[in-house]
Amino acid sequence: KRIYFFGFKTNKNMILIAESGSTKTDWVLVDDENQITMYKTMGFNPFFHSSEFIAGKIKENKELYKASINIERLYFYGAGCSSDDMNQIVEIGLKSIYPNAEITVDHDLLACALSTYEGEPSISCILGTGSNSCYFDGKKLREEVPAIAYVLGDEGSGSFYGKKLLKDYLYNQLPISIKIDFENEFGDAKSDIFENVYMKPHANVYLASFMKFLNKHYHHEYVINMIQHGMNEFIKIHVCCFPEHKSVKTHFIGSISKIFERELKIAAKNHGVQLGNIIQKPVDNLVNYHLKQVKIS
């Protein structure tokens, strides 16, 4: 997919911008004529992936790897990139592929904040495979509660809903019509569930993969109530924790926030939260942000 920006030339070599969640990474390559090419790879998280693993998977995308020698600047925003130690894992992997690039690795929360910022302080939230939130005033990013991941937290996320669905299935608490369709699609999935949740890596991604099935039954009361509960839990824990939550807008990025926008709006209203932008893919706004920074510099 190619998109074109007109108006100025960077007079630089290529810039590569990556926004990585737990499931997928969106890569945007900007050349010196401001022509943009977009790529996708799996998501990378330094809590689960080594430098060597990250480099190896990037190499599998031949077109993305082919441009490596021409990359002058690389901005990588990723889930799990929340400390110097974790960021270094990603940076080492990237540096082995992009040796000529000046590389910046930062948290996906910063990508969320930059892609939703409208020039005034706001709360920015992620609702995708996982969930998180921050307050951003244009310069400083602040968190009030930590992201404690899918085992204990990630309220309102894909992994949160997937875990609820599988638990109800295993406890034989699914509505009969949904249970029948679940077994028609996945068979007797008990052994697969235990293997994928307790024995294989990336259980959070596996749990979130059931959102397609839940979306298929979106109009069932069971699913509506589940989604509404998750949205209320997210707003209560991850938005109302900010003292400013009633005085500033709250923006959202991520597939879950967009697909279940109606339930999100209801939850926001229930808690007196002023909803701002809801953006499924923040990478386009990140590109615009970085191109502006290049122009200014």
Side-chain angles (χ1 to χ4, degrees), residues 89-283:
I89 292 172
V90 176
E91 185 173 347
I92 290 171
L94 295 173
K95 197 66 177 177
S96 69
I97 301 295
Y98 305 103
N100 301 323
E102 178 185 332
I103 297 174
T104 301
V105 177
D106 218 315
H107 203 293
D108 59 347
L109 262 182
L110 180 58
C112 175
L114 293 176
S115 64
T116 56
Y117 184 63
E118 295 182 316
E120 57 186 23
S122 59
I123 297 167
S124 293
C125 307
I126 298 173
L127 278 180
T129 300
S131 64
N132 209 346
S133 66
C134 67
Y135 177 85
F136 186 60
D137 65 3
K139 293 182 179 180
K140 294 182 180 180
L141 184 149
R142 186 180 88 240
E143 295 180 69
E144 288 288 340
V145 297
I148 56 177
Y150 71 98
V151 176
L152 297 175
D154 273 351
E155 291 80 9
S157 70
S159 60
F160 178 85
Y161 296 125
K163 184 164 62 174
K164 170 65 173 169
L165 173 71
L166 296 188
K167 186 167 69 174
D168 286 352
Y169 169 70
L170 293 170
Y171 283 150
N172 199 28
Q173 292 181 348
L174 284 180
I176 188 64
S177 62
I178 294 180
K179 180 183 178 181
I180 290 172
D181 192 46
F182 184 93
E183 292 184 338
N184 285 339
E185 187 162 339
F186 303 109
D188 185 353
K190 293 178 183 178
S191 60
D192 288 340
I193 291 170
F194 287 123
E195 182 178 359
N196 280 283
V197 171
Y198 295 112
M199 299 174 68
K200 290 186 176 182
H202 317 311
N204 58 331
V205 177
Y206 169 74
L207 292 170
S209 70
F210 288 93
M211 289 311 300
K212 289 182 180 179
F213 178 81
L214 281 172
N215 195 32
K216 178 181 175 183
H217 295 274
Y218 171 68
H219 295 292
H220 196 288
E221 183 181 9
Y222 166 81
V223 176
I224 293 173
N225 289 339
M226 179 198 295
I227 301 300
Q228 195 63 68
H229 169 73
M231 293 299 186
N232 277 305
E233 285 295 289
F234 180 86
I235 295 288
K236 180 175 67 176
I237 295 169
H238 296 280
V239 177
C240 293
C241 61
F242 294 100
E244 304 90 348
H245 75 274
K246 289 191 176 182
S247 60
V248 302
K249 289 182 181 179
T250 298
H251 305 296
F252 283 82
I253 69 165
S255 57
I256 301 301
S257 62
K258 194 66 176 178
I259 293 170
F260 300 107
E261 184 173 339
R262 186 176 74 91
E263 286 71 25
L264 176 57
K265 287 180 176 178
I266 293 172
K269 185 177 180 180
N270 288 342
H271 291 86
V273 170
Q274 183 184 358
L275 209 55
N277 297 321
I278 301 175
I279 302 170
Q280 185 164 346
K281 294 176 61 175
V283 72

Side-chain angles (χ1 to χ4, degrees), residues 63-80:
E63 289 299 314
L64 186 58
Y65 180 51
K66 184 179 178 181
S68 61
I69 197 169
N70 296 315
I71 304 300
E72 183 182 70
R73 303 185 190 185
L74 197 166
Y75 303 93
F76 185 97
Y77 301 91

